[in-house]
Amino acid sequence: MGGYPRQNGRACGMKVKGKEKFLGQIAALPQAMKDEILNALQVSAEETNDLQKRFVPKDEGKLERTIGYVVGDKVPEGAAITSAPAKGATDLTVTMYAGDETTIVRNKRGVEFQNALLQEFGRKVKGRIVKNPFFFPGFRLGKKRAKDRLRRAVRNGAKKAFNK
């Protein structure tokens, strides 16, 4: 299967280099900067979720409705795929997720599977692996715009915070 980190058979998020150092710097920022940064993170998460929803197969309406984000690291119960939750400054963390109890499917033998994981990482059908990745492709596409938006937010927040 794909090159994503896995733990106990589940995707466990992506790692970001220098995240702890960055979060330490963020903790020292004035509130004006934090407000700008949080707004930029939320706009980027909404935009990335829209991209992810476009990639979900059209017949997967339940799965599409479970794609979302939360401020902090507390995802809804049963979320199958998540972006990497940060350690530390959870007030400036946005965690994206997909899947919940409503997207569990059952095979002919009665074994339950999380449809979000089946779509993202694939399943075997007639000897072939069939997959419809939606979460991480949307995540990767939204990443550059999110970085740029975050950079602008830090700059604008610094101007607001320090030019009083």
Side-chain angles (χ1 to χ4, degrees):
M1 292 207 227
Y4 300 107
R6 300 186 64 73
Q7 185 176 34
N8 298 331
R10 291 181 59 185
C12 62
M14 303 176 101
K15 295 190 183 238
V16 178
K17 290 181 184 174
K19 183 170 51 178
E20 284 75 24
K21 179 183 175 189
F22 176 69
L23 289 174
Q25 293 169 334
I26 292 291
L29 294 176
Q31 190 59 41
M33 283 185 83
K34 289 182 179 182
D35 293 342
E36 283 285 325
I37 291 169
L38 185 58
N39 183 46
L41 287 172
Q42 288 178 314
V43 168
S44 295
E46 289 171 6
E47 189 176 273
T48 301
N49 281 164
D50 287 342
L51 285 169
Q52 291 166 334
K53 288 176 182 180
R54 284 188 214 160
F55 290 138
V56 171
K58 297 303 170 208
D59 61 338
E60 299 293 334
K62 283 184 186 176
L63 182 55
E64 183 178 348
R65 287 188 290 278
T66 66
I67 297 172
Y69 75 93
V70 292
V71 175
D73 59 356
K74 302 290 185 220
V75 296
E77 189 67 32
I81 306 173
T82 64
S83 59
K87 296 178 182 113
T90 56
D91 58 331
L92 289 177
T93 299
V94 172
T95 306
M96 291 178 276
Y97 59 87
D100 62 14
E101 292 88 14
T102 64
T103 57
I104 292 176
V105 294
R106 202 175 291 227
N107 70 5
K108 293 176 185 174
R109 290 179 274 159
V111 179
E112 292 182 341
F113 296 96
Q114 177 51 257
N115 191 31
L117 294 172
L118 292 176
Q119 294 296 323
E120 184 71 19
F121 300 108
R123 63 199 181 280
K124 206 171 207 179
V125 177
K126 296 182 182 175
R128 293 183 8 188
I129 299 292
V130 178
K131 59 183 174 178
N132 300 306
F134 65 95
F135 190 84
F136 289 111
F139 185 85
R140 284 190 298 270
L141 279 175
K143 195 172 178 177
K144 183 181 182 331
R145 285 184 61 126
K147 278 181 171 179
D148 292 342
R149 185 176 287 117
L150 184 59
R151 195 173 293 124
R152 282 191 305 274
V154 169
R155 185 173 52 244
N156 293 340
K159 286 178 184 177
K160 286 181 182 178
F162 300 117
N163 291 332
K164 288 184 178 182

